[in-house]
């Protein structure tokens, strides 16, 4: 009962869309992409580092905790002067970093033709038609390590976001 699942069983997960397992490592960071009927793709993510993932995860969790605290205070009907958070620009940097370091290379490698998404490395990212609703394919994210705390579905920059191209879902493990 402690044996791992066979690959043929695990690949069934990709029946409803590509599965992207993100693996941050001190040696190198990768996206392992599973698709039914295709070879496994091991995509190197050279712009991504364990240090960036760790710092971004810590910053993101701190901001979420602070926002929860502010919400709790407001619900207690206490008047509290809320100063603008300097972390907002840091959060924007994280969202943009997720786009440039992870999501854009993955979408380009998958060559998703939704809304005329160009292949990875193309500089014409602005020229596209946004898709909506059911016309977007589903993509299953399986982030590991510090990437598990980051909102890959919200990644974006310059008015372009992950949700323009795919419906993001998360899986804790392939077996689950």
């Amino acid at each position: 009962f402690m044996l791992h699942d066979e690959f043929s069983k695990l690949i069934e997960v990709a029946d409803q869309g590509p599965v992207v397992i993100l693996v941050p490592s001190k040696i190198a960071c990768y996206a392992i992409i599973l698709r039914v009927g295709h070879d496994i793709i091991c995509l190197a993510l050279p712009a991504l580092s364990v240090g960036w993932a760790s710092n971004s995860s810590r910053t993101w969790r701190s901001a979420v905790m602070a926002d929860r605290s502010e919400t709790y205070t407001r619900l207690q009907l206490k008047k509290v002067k809320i100063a603008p958070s300097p972390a907002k620009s840091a959060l924007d940097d994280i969202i943009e970093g997720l786009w440039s370091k992870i999501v854009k290379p993955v979408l380009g490698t998958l060559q998703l033709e939704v809304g005329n998404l160009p292949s990875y490395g193309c500089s014409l990212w602005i020229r596209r038609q946004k898709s909506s609703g059911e016309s977007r394919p589903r993509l299953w994210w399986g982030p590991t390590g510090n990437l598990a705390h980051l909102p890959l579905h919200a990644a974006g920059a310059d008015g372009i976001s992950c949700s323009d191209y795919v419906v993001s879902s998360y899986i804790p493990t392939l077996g689950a």
Side-chain angles (χ1 to χ4, degrees), residues 18-22 102-103 106-107 139-143 152-153 162 166-172:
V19 176
V20 180
I21 306 297
L22 298 172
I102 300 171
V103 176
V106 167
L107 295 179
L139 188 126
W140 299 87
W141 295 105
L152 296 160
H153 65 280
C162 179
V166 295
V167 174
S168 294
S169 293
Y170 291 89
I171 57 171

Side-chain angles (χ1 to χ4, degrees), residues 1-6:
F1 78 95
M2 296 289 286
L3 293 174
H4 58 80
D5 291 325
E6 295 292 323

Side-chain angles (χ1 to χ4, degrees), residues 22-31 43-51 53 147:
L22 298 172
V23 183
S25 168
K26 288 182 181 179
I27 297 170
C29 297
Y30 291 92
L43 174 65
L45 300 170
L48 180 63
S49 70
V50 173
L147 296 175

Side-chain angles (χ1 to χ4, degrees), residues 9 49 54 90 101 135 137:
K9 175 106 172 126
S49 70
S54 177
K101 297 173 189 306
S135 66

Side-chain angles (χ1 to χ4, degrees), residues 20 38 86 96 161:
V20 180
H38 293 84
E96 290 174 6
S161 72

